[in-house]
Amino acid sequence: MSELQKIFKQTALGERPTGVEWFDAVRHQAVLRWGEMELPDTKTEEYRRFDLKGVMSGVTCRAEGDCSQFEPLDMEGEQVRTVNGRVVDTEYSILSKTQISEFDSLTGNVASAVLNMALAEDAVVVCVARGESRKVVLDSRFAGEKGALAVSRVLVVVEEGASLELSDVCRTEGEVIALRCREIIVGRGANVKIADIVENPEGTVIDHRYTSQAEDSTTRALFGDVSHGASRTNIVTLLNGAHAEAVCDGVYVATHGTRDVCLDVQHLIGECQSSELIKGIASERGRGSFAGRIYVAQDSQKTDASLLNRNIVLGTEAKIYTKPTLEIYADDVKCSHGATVGQLDPEAVYYMRQRGLSKQAAERLQLLGFAAEVVERFGGQAAERIAAAVEQKLQTL
Amino acid sequence: MLLEVKNLHANVAGKEVLRGINFEVRPGEVHAIMGPNGSGKSTFASVLAGNPKFEVTEGEVLYDGVDLLSLPIEERARQGLFLGFQYPVEIPGVSMASFMKAAVAERRKALGLEPLSSAEFLKLVREKSKIVELDGKLVSRSVNEGFSGGEKKKNEIFQMAMLEPRLAVLDETDSGLDIDALRIVATGVQRLRSPQNATIVITHYQRLLDYIIPDFVHVLYKGQIIYSGDKSLALKLEREGYDWLIGSQQ
Ligand SMILES: Nc1ncnc2c1ncn2[C@@H]1O[C@H](COP(=O)(O)OP(=O)(O)OP(=O)(O)O)[C@@H](O)[C@H]1O
Ligand SMILES: [Mg+2]
């Protein structure tokens, strides 16, 4: 029996109860749902480069690493710290709440997300009440030896007309495996800005972000991933109410390991807008992979959606794979998708060198410029942090 | 001597486009290079700047007594060689300000000067953008991205003003400019003239030379300087074209 199976058995047998009955019941449901499920590998999953099954079979134990060595985040907003999935600021812990019906309502039967629920021992809850406006910083810390598994879960509910600016900074220490799942439920007319920043030096991050939007709501999201380890980012946006708008951008720099970005935007009703722009930079032995889909359900007329993935590959060993797709079951829609994989523009490098910049400085500036587009369209403190992280990472190229 | 070019030959894509150029520039001088399309003017400028597309096969270039061709592109620039591009390059996402800040810092370092503070840099930007009446907003935009043809050319002169080169090579900086812009750019160049620096202007039109009075005018044809004269040569070329010169060549 693999270690992961052992850990799973423990929860299945109720050996590690949280003591909060309703939470344990939700978890037990996930254990049952898991049933005969299996994690996909790169063969069974279409167009994915990150081997979920392989990575998870390397799990040796639960992560128990100490996270006191992390610097506090110098960002404005309510700070919510988690350590290997455990909520430090307990007023935000789900274990301090009465039953929340929205919890575990979005992930469906995605094996890695179900596994996350089955193994979760805590969760962050941020609930922004009607008309309220809040700024929250999630300080998500993970630490553990090679193969240690940390399971973290977040539920965000933004009620009607409320607004939230959420920055989630994920940092790891050691070769820990962070299995994350976040559900963001956006009420009618609500407004949400979500920034995900992955700054881990060497851990592996498997992230799920599910967002569900009611009518007239808007979300604007940006992820920035500059980690050295491997990562898998699953982003699902469900547009459930008319006139909902979603912007979902991202940028990553891969120098080692694989960045695997899976994006799924579902227009489940008409008259919604979505726009996604993902930018990838791969160098050295980095791998980037993008699988994106815009799905327009039956009769979701007047959908306006665009999906674009742009990449720069440096050197001869780095690789980027990309596959944006459209799946449309309505006829009156405006949808576009595209992908580019290019290199640095030698003319631009020459031009900058002619003004005195070194080749390296010219290349970095160009790469930074490439990333700047998505960062600037997001703006604010999280964007600045992402820009700084990208710049710092580019210094190492 | 600021620049000495001796028997310079260069190839591009396997074709010889510079075929033995001899050329000298002293501090304080302005040289105009004219010549029909495709004669090698931009190639000559590019070779001086170090564009890797061109391969020097023979000859020598001394810049202030130093073997220019052995220096990397950026080192030439830091030593005060400036090329105003015939086709300035657009660089999406890279702001003019951050680009120029880096460029000025390098130039100052080469001159042994302290780096500018942010305030000093901004002051310099304001001062220099005035010289070419460059819209201040352009400085906060990405390098040349979405600039009009004329704005791109003005931007080249703005950068020249920022970097205070010893030798500026301006490749058709006048083309694409309306009459007012031409006057602005040309007087800008004129104002940057000093006894220490020198300018090479590549142009097709005599009218630029009304503002930037050249000490010498050269005709480049098929990769060689076939004729040199004073500023009256430009007028003659404008009236009579190149036929009388080319004829004597064949
Ligand atoms: N990258 C290149 N590949 C192939 N041929 C080139 C390249 N660049 C220049 N040439 C050729 O070299 C010759 C000289 O070109 P160059 O651009 O130097 O001319 P020019 O005198 O500046 O012309 P114009 O007045 O049109 O600007 C031309 O025949 C041109 O086609
Ligand atoms: Mg030319």
Side-chain angles (χ1 to χ4, degrees):
Chain A
M1 196 192 294
S2 77
E3 288 306 314
L4 179 62
Q5 281 169 316
K6 276 189 207 156
I7 292 171
F8 185 80
K9 274 270 158 58
Q10 281 180 343
T11 31
L13 297 173
E15 281 173 25
R16 289 170 67 111
T18 63
V20 177
E21 243 172 70
W22 75 269
F23 181 85
D24 287 347
V26 174
R27 193 165 71 166
H28 187 65
Q29 280 302 316
V31 169
L32 297 179
R33 248 152 78 214
W34 174 261
E36 295 298 301
M37 273 185 180
E38 248 191 275
L39 288 170
D41 59 21
T42 48
K43 286 191 199 68
T44 49
E45 235 185 347
E46 202 208 347
Y47 215 82
R48 308 284 193 272
R49 305 284 155 180
F50 182 98
D51 181 2
L52 268 175
K53 193 175 179 175
V55 168
M56 291 301 285
S57 70
V59 167
T60 53
C61 58
R62 275 195 189 258
E64 303 289 354
D66 169 29
C67 291
S68 53
Q69 69 278 24
F70 289 99
E71 295 275 316
L73 289 177
D74 179 22
M75 292 176 83
E76 204 186 299
E78 301 165 46
Q79 305 274 327
V80 184
R81 284 164 298 168
T82 65
V83 169
N84 293 322
R86 293 208 170 271
V87 186
V88 176
D89 300 289
T90 49
E91 67 271 31
Y92 293 93
S93 166
I94 199 161
L95 304 177
S96 69
K97 316 270 179 206
T98 50
Q99 182 138 16
I100 304 171
S101 58
E102 288 94 339
F103 187 59
D104 197 31
S105 61
L106 296 181
T107 57
N109 278 332
V110 173
S112 47
V114 173
L115 184 65
N116 172 288
M117 187 60 242
L119 300 178
E121 300 193 309
D122 199 347
V124 170
V125 176
V126 174
C127 188
V128 187
R130 245 169 200 267
E132 241 183 15
S133 170
R134 281 164 62 186
K135 200 178 231 185
V136 175
V137 178
L138 289 182
D139 181 351
S140 307
R141 306 173 176 190
F142 300 92
E145 66 213 53
K146 190 174 166 70
L149 175 69
V151 178
S152 96
R153 200 145 180 124
V154 175
L155 172 67
V156 174
V157 180
V158 186
E159 290 182 359
E160 186 171 338
S163 73
L164 171 67
E165 192 178 320
L166 180 71
S167 306
D168 186 337
V169 181
C170 169
R171 294 179 288 177
T172 66
E173 172 89 27
E175 291 181 52
V176 65
I177 301 170
L179 179 61
R180 317 177 70 207
C181 182
R182 293 169 297 154
E183 297 175 283
I184 299 162
I185 292 159
V186 185
R188 212 169 138 168
N191 225 305
V192 180
K193 243 181 126 179
I194 312 155
D196 291 336
I197 311 173
V198 185
E199 294 178 350
N200 57 324
E202 53 206 0
T204 299
V205 178
I206 303 164
D207 188 22
H208 305 77
R209 187 178 81 212
Y210 285 82
T211 308
S212 150
Q213 291 186 231
E215 62 187 287
D216 296 318
S217 64
T218 61
T219 61
R220 176 170 278 272
L222 173 68
F223 76 81
D225 185 342
V226 296
S227 58
H228 298 306
S231 72
R232 162 74 172 255
T233 307
N234 301 281
I235 298 174
V236 179
T237 306
L238 307 166
L239 299 169
N240 288 310
H243 308 293
E245 282 178 33
V247 174
C248 180
D249 295 344
V251 56
Y252 66 78
V253 184
T255 50
H256 304 87
T258 301
R259 297 280 151 284
D260 195 339
V261 180
C262 311
L263 201 94
D264 192 25
V265 181
Q266 303 190 12
H267 285 258
L268 301 169
I269 193 162
E271 305 189 56
C272 290
Q273 266 185 42
S274 71
S275 152
E276 295 77 42
L277 175 57
I278 307 296
K279 295 206 164 183
I281 297 171
S283 84
E284 293 160 66
R285 276 169 300 129
R287 291 278 179 284
S289 161
F290 174 78
R293 179 179 78 147
I294 293 175
Y295 171 84
V296 180
Q298 191 78 47
D299 297 328
S300 290
Q301 308 298 1
K302 306 259 187 264
T303 289
D304 183 343
S306 77
L307 172 66
L308 185 59
N309 175 225
R310 297 188 56 203
N311 304 287
I312 291 185
V313 180
L314 305 169
T316 50
E317 284 188 85
K319 285 198 168 58
I320 285 197
Y321 306 87
T322 174
K323 188 182 178 190
T325 53
L326 298 177
E327 206 177 314
I328 301 175
Y329 301 99
D331 45 26
D332 182 16
V333 300
K334 204 172 104 194
C335 293
S336 64
H337 69 312
T340 59
V341 180
Q343 280 159 351
L344 286 169
D345 175 6
E347 294 293 328
V349 172
Y350 167 56
Y351 187 77
M352 289 189 267
R353 289 179 75 188
Q354 209 301 303
R355 301 299 187 243
L357 277 70
S358 68
K359 183 163 183 278
Q360 207 178 35
E363 290 177 351
R364 274 183 202 149
L365 205 54
Q366 197 181 136
L367 289 170
L368 204 59
F370 175 73
E373 189 183 348
V374 285
V375 174
E376 277 163 18
R377 104 168 170 162
F378 191 81
Q381 61 172 357
E384 272 165 35
R385 193 174 176 102
I386 290 174
V390 168
E391 186 166 2
Q392 203 177 21
K393 176 87 175 188
L394 294 177
Q395 298 293 337
T396 67
L397 299 188
Chain B
M1 200 68 71
L2 184 56
L3 186 75
E4 285 177 79
V5 179
K6 297 176 194 162
N7 190 31
L8 184 65
H9 289 253
N11 286 359
V12 62
K15 186 176 115 184
E16 183 166 65
V17 280
L18 298 186
R19 301 187 305 132
I21 293 194
N22 292 291
F23 187 69
E24 289 185 347
V25 180
R26 283 172 202 79
E29 291 178 350
V30 173
H31 291 249
I33 299 180
M34 304 182 79
N37 293 128
S39 57
K41 302 181 297 298
S42 293
T43 303
F44 180 47
S46 302
V47 168
L48 292 181
N51 188 332
K53 274 202 290 205
F54 301 91
E55 184 204 355
V56 175
T57 53
E58 213 183 316
E60 192 185 20
V61 180
L62 295 178
Y63 173 74
D64 216 5
V66 177
D67 175 14
L68 184 72
L69 301 177
S70 70
L71 300 178
I73 302 166
E74 56 271 33
E75 202 44 48
R76 301 180 195 193
R78 291 169 189 170
Q79 296 304 323
L81 176 71
F82 179 89
L83 171 61
F85 282 60
Q86 182 172 2
Y87 305 108
V89 183
E90 299 196 5
I91 315 175
V94 176
S95 79
M96 266 308 294
S98 58
F99 170 47
M100 268 299 105
K101 196 153 193 191
V104 169
E106 292 296 352
R107 176 83 176 112
R108 289 183 66 86
K109 199 158 93 188
L111 290 171
L113 299 170
E114 291 290 305
L116 293 178
S117 70
S118 292
E120 289 167 328
F121 176 75
L122 286 177
K123 189 166 159 261
L124 188 70
V125 167
R126 268 199 304 276
E127 203 178 289
K128 301 298 186 184
S129 53
K130 245 185 241 149
I131 294 183
V132 283
E133 300 183 20
L134 187 76
D135 186 342
K137 284 191 212 84
L138 292 180
V139 181
S140 58
R141 289 194 4 210
S142 294
V143 179
N144 292 321
E145 197 188 24
F147 286 28
S148 75
E151 286 168 344
K152 281 181 184 163
K153 295 299 173 79
K154 278 190 183 178
N155 192 23
E156 293 294 286
I157 303 304
F158 163 68
Q159 292 175 48
M160 171 180 153
M162 291 290 288
L163 296 169
E164 300 185 358
R166 290 198 64 199
L167 177 63
V169 183
L170 305 178
D171 191 357
E172 294 200 25
T173 302
D174 54 338
S175 52
L177 292 179
D178 63 40
I179 294 166
D180 288 334
L182 178 75
R183 181 180 40 76
I184 291 162
V185 163
T187 37
V189 172
Q190 192 65 17
R191 277 179 58 186
L192 297 167
R193 257 180 106 161
S194 82
Q196 287 77 43
N197 63 27
T199 312
I200 300 173
V201 289
I202 295 172
T203 182
H204 286 293
Y205 307 105
Q206 126 76 22
R207 51 173 197 181
L208 177 70
L209 306 177
D210 284 342
Y211 300 98
I212 309 173
I213 321 270
D215 300 296
F216 301 94
V217 176
H218 310 273
V219 177
L220 191 67
Y221 179 66
K222 291 194 174 165
Q224 288 178 328
I225 291 179
I226 57 164
Y227 198 87
S228 300
D230 61 15
K231 68 178 196 310
S232 64
L233 176 60
L235 280 168
K236 185 170 161 75
L237 290 171
E238 183 127 306
R239 276 197 314 270
E240 301 176 23
Y242 293 103
D243 277 354
W244 62 278
L245 270 173
I246 293 167
S248 70
Q249 274 287 299
Q250 283 154 357

